[in-house]
Amino acid sequence: MAKTETRSTCCYCGVGCGVLIESENGRITGVRGDPDHPANYGRLCSKGLHLAASAASDSGRALFPEMRMDRGTARRRVGWAPALDAAADRFADIIRRHGPDAVAFYASGQLLTEDYYLFNKLAKGVAGTNNIDTNSRLCMSSAVTAYKMAFGADGPPTCYQDLESAGCVLFAGSNMAYAHPVLFRRLEDARRDWPDARWIVVDPRRTDTAAMADLHLQIQPGTDVALFHGMLHHLVWEGLIDESYIAAHAEGFDALKRMVRDYTPKMAAEICGVRAEDIVTAAEWFGRSPASLSLYCMGLNQSSQGTAKNLALINLHLATGQIGRPGAGPFSLTGQPNAMGGREVGGMATMLAAHRDIANPEHRREVAAHWGVPENRLSPRPGLPAVEMFEALAKGDIKAVWIVCTNPAHSMPDLPRVREALGRAELVVVQDAFANTDTAAFADILLPAASWGEKEGTVTNSERRVSRVRAAAQPPGEARADGWIAAEFGRRLAARLHPGEADHFAYVHAGQVFDEHRALTVGRDLDMGGLDYALLDEKGPQQWPLPAGQAAGQARRYEDGVFATDSGRARFHAIDYQPPADKISAHYPFRLISGRLRDQWHGMSRTGRVPGLFAHSPEPELRMHPEDAERRNLRDGDLVRVASKRGHLALPLKTDADLARGCVFIAMHWCRQFLNSGGGNEVAASAVDGLSFQPELKHAAVKVEKAELPWRVLAALRHPDLPALQARLAPLLGEMAYAAVSLAAPDALLLRAADASPRPEWLARLLAELALTPGPDTLEYRDERRGVLKRVAWRGDSLRGLVFAGGGHTEREAGERLLQWLLGGEPWPGAKLAAFAPRQGPERKQDRLVCQCKQVGEAAIRAELERGLSLTALKAELGCGTVCGSCGPELARLAADCGQLA
Ligand SMILES: Nc1nc2c(c(=O)[nH]1)N[C@H]1C(S)=C(S)[C@@H](COP(=O)(O)OP(=O)(O)OC[C@H]3O[C@@H](n4cnc5c(=O)[nH]c(N)nc54)[C@H](O)[C@@H]3O)O[C@H]1N2
Ligand SMILES: Nc1nc2c(c(=O)[nH]1)N[C@H]1C(S)=C(S)[C@@H](COP(=O)(O)OP(=O)(O)OC[C@H]3O[C@@H](n4cnc5c(=O)[nH]c(N)nc54)[C@H](O)[C@@H]3O)O[C@H]1N2
Ligand code: SF4
Ligand SMILES: [Mo]
C-alpha cells in the first residue's frame, strides 16, 4: 500500500500545532509540521517531532477490555459487551441505591471535544449527576473563573497574532520556552524584528524563558498578587493608567485604587523578595508600551490564590487599556491540547454546556430540552471538583468513579490520600490508551482506548481555534475510540435507568456530535453556528466566535470595549495578597515548586517510550540552590528524603543556582513507571483556591534530609524494545527505598536503586528481568558478605549490560565509568578485566544532549563558544538549534554564560 498523508493536530500542548501524519499499511511512519496550519506554519517542537516514534510500537498499550471478577483478584481479559454491561449494571445499581451523586466521572483536557461532550451528556443528562470533573481543575480552572469574573465570559480575548505585535511581554508563571515552544519561536522571531520589545518574566526559577528576558522578577512562590498590586500602585500614582478607558468600559476601580494604596513597590518588594526598583521598571514598561501582552500559565493558576493572581493581572490590563487591541491583552496559555474544548462543552462539575451555569434554571432547561431528557434530570447541585471528588471517594460518599484519559494516581496532589480513595472505591473504571499507568493499577475494569492518530474529532487551541484531529492508523488490538466507548456505555446506562427513552447516543460519525454541540452555542458568547466539519475540511482551522453567516471567526475579542457582563463593562476586583496555604516552618523549611521538563509530557505514558526525549533531562532529581545545599552539607548526587506532612519520597540532589534560595524544585513527570514513588505529588498539598477549587500544586512546605541508603545498585542494558523492558522493571521499583529507570540511550535502559542494606533477593529478580545470566560473555565479581556483585556482559568488544551493586565508592566509581561506555555504544578500549578496576579503566566523558534534532551535546557547544564562536556561527558550525528550535533558549543562555552574544 502506498504512503498516505493525513492532516491532523498534535496531541500535546495547547499551542495546537497542525501536523501531517504519514502512514503506510495502517501504521504511522512519520510526522511533520503542517505548513498551512495558522498555529505553527510547519514548525514542531521536540515532542511533536517525536510523535511517530511514540506511536511506533504497541507494547504497553491497553489492547483488550479487562475486568476483575472479584475484589483482590487479578483482572482478566473480557469482551467489550460483557465489560460495558458489567459497568452499566454496577453504575445503575449504585445510582438506584444511593442516588446519582454516588457516582462520578473524572475526565481530561486531552479528550476530543466530541468525546468530552458525550461524557457530559452521559453524566449530567443520563446519570443525573454533576459529578463530572476533569484534570482541567488542576490546570485552567483559576483562569476560567477569573475570565468570567472580570469579563463575564470564559476564553482568552487575545490571539496568536498578538505575539507579533506586542511591545511589552509579561510572562507570569509561564515557562513558555519549554511548555509552549512553537509559540515561543514566534516570539523570538518577533523580537528579532522589533529589538525594542521588552520581556519581563515572573518566576521563582531562572528558567530558559527567564534567561532570555530583559527583566526577571525572581519572586518567592505564591506572591504574584502582591507584585501585580505593587505594579498597579506605581501606575496609578505615576498617572500611567487610562482613565478614559476605565470610565467607559470598566467598573469597580475605586475600591481597587483604595486597596492598592497600601501596596507600594517597597511593600510589594518585601513580600515578593525582589527589588522595588525592578517592580517599578516592570510597571513602567508595561504601562508605557504601545501594546502590552501578558502570557500566563500554571505559576498563576496552581495556587490557593490562583483566581486572585489572574484577576490582579487582568486589573493591570484594564487599568491601562491594554486589551482589545493588537498586541495587548491577558493571554492565559492553555496547557492541554483541548482544555478549551472542555470548557466549551461545560466539561466541569461547576458548569453546563456552552458557557452555561448549573445554578441557572433557564440554562438547565435549555440543555435538557436539547438532549431530550426531562427537565429535572439535570441536577441543580454543582458536582464535586477534583480534590473534593477524591476526598468523597475516600470517605465512601462516592462509590464508583469512571476515569478517562487522565492519570490521577500520579497527577493529583497528596497521592497517599488519592491511592487510599481509589483503593476504597467500590468500582473504578479506567479508560486509557496505555495499560501500565499508575491509575490503571486500581482499575476494576480497564477499557482500552484508541489514541492519537487513531480517531476523529476536533480540539480547540489557546487562541480559540478549532482544528480537526483525524485518524491515520488502526487502533491496536480491540482498542476503541473514546467517543464510541462513551456512547456504548451511555446507551446501556440509559436503558437501565430510563427504559423507554429514545436513544441519546445514535451517532454514526463524530461530525454529528460536533453539530449537536455547536447548536447549543448559538446565540452565546462562543457562538459556533457557522463552524462545521465541512468548513474545517474546506478552509482549515477556525476561531470562535463564528456565528452562522460569517465568513471567518473573530481573532480578538472585546475590541469594541463591550464585555460579556450584564452591564457590558469589565470588572475590577480588589483582593488582598494571601500567602500560600501550606506554611513553611522550622520543621518544613523549604518551598517545593514543580513544573515541566522540555521534552517530557505529564506521566510519560507516551514521551517515556522515546529514548530521545530523555536525553535532555535523563534522570529524576530534586533541585536546590547550592548555598542551601552547602548549609545542609548536601552534595550533587546525594540521595535525599523530601517529606511534607502528607508523604515523602527519595530523589538524587542536584544543585541549581537558578532557583531562589529556600525553594526546591521537582519536575512533575516522574511517576511509578520510572520511579519507586509517585513523584512530587507524594508530598504536594491539596489546599485549593476558594473560588476556582484549583489545588496549589506549585507550593508545598517540605523538609529535605540526607537519605542514608548506602547499598547502591547501578544497572544498564542494551535492549531492542526499551518500553517493554521498562514495563517489566516498573513493579520492582516500588520495593526499594530509591529506584529509578530511564531510557538513557537510543538502545539502552539505565536503572539506579538504593536501600539501607543489601537486598540480595531483589537483586536476583532484577538480574532475572534483565536476563543478565552468567555465561561465556559475562564477567563477574561477587562478595556476598559485603553485598557486592559486579557483573558485566559483553557483545564482542562492546558492553551489552552491567550490574554493579554494593556499598563502596570503588564499586560506584567503576560502575559509573563503565556506564558511559555502555550508553555511548563504542567498543571498550581496554582489557575486559580492567572493567572492574576503578582507576584502571579508560575514561569516557559524560555529556548531556542539548540539541535533540542534530544530536549536539553541551560539551561540544561550550568548546565552540569558548573558542570564540558567536551564537550564529555556532549554529552554522554544529547545526544545533536549526531544526525544531526547542534548544534555542538554552543555546542563547550557554552563549551568554561563555560571554558570547548573538
Ligand atoms: N505537582 C504537579 N502536579 C501536576 C501539575 C504540576 O504542575 N505539578 N500539573 C497539573 C496539570 S496542569 C495537568 S494538565 C495534569 C495532567 O495530568 P494527567 O491528566 O494525569 O496527565 P497525563 O499523563 O497526560 O494523563 C493522560 C492519560 O491519558 C492517556 N491517554 C493518552 N491518549 C489517550 C486517549 O486518546 N484516550 C484515552 N482514554 N487515554 C489516553 C495517557 O496514557 C495518560 O495515562 O497534571 C497536574 N498535576
Ligand atoms: N514540555 C511540556 N510542555 C507542556 C506540558 C508538559 O507536560 N511538558 N504540559 C502542558 C500543560 S497541561 C500545561 S498546564 C502547561 C504548563 O505550562 P507552564 O505553566 O509554563 O509550566 P510549569 O513548568 O508547570 O510552570 C511554569 C512556571 O511556574 C513557575 N512558578 C512556580 N510557582 C510560581 C509562582 O508562585 N509564581 C510564578 N509567577 N511562577 C511560579 C515554575 O517555576 C515554572 O517555571 O504546559 C503544557 N506544555
Ligand atoms: S508546541 Fe510542540 S507539543 Fe505543543 S502542539 Fe506544537 S508540536 Fe505539539
Ligand atoms: Mo495542564
Side-chain angles (χ1 to χ4, degrees), residues 10-17 43-48 179-183:
C10 175
C11 62
Y12 296 123
C13 82
V15 175
C17 296
R43 278 177 167 157
L44 294 177
C45 78
S46 46
K47 295 181 295 300
H180 298 91
V182 166
L183 290 187

Side-chain angles (χ1 to χ4, degrees), residues 13-14 47 110 139-140 171-176 178-181 202-205 207 219-224 296-300 302-303 309 333-336 593-602 665 668-669 698-699:
C13 82
K47 295 181 295 300
Q110 293 171 64
C139 184
M140 302 314 301
F171 302 80
S174 151
N175 185 9
M176 203 176 174
Y178 283 14
H180 298 91
V202 184
D203 196 307
R205 296 188 302 143
T207 57
I219 60 167
Q220 282 294 313
T223 60
D224 305 76
Y296 52 103
C297 209
M298 293 308 117
L300 297 200
Q302 290 173 338
S303 158
K309 285 183 177 188
L333 298 169
T334 51
Q336 298 179 88
I593 50 187
S594 58
R596 282 152 175 85
L597 297 173
R598 193 188 78 185
D599 295 346
Q600 292 293 355
W601 179 261
H602 298 168
F665 176 84
M668 69 163 293
H669 310 286
K698 290 276 184 271
H699 186 273

Side-chain angles (χ1 to χ4, degrees), residues 599-611:
D599 295 346
Q600 292 293 355
W601 179 261
H602 298 168
M604 300 161 73
S605 61
R606 201 182 263 289
T607 48
R609 307 158 62 73
V610 184

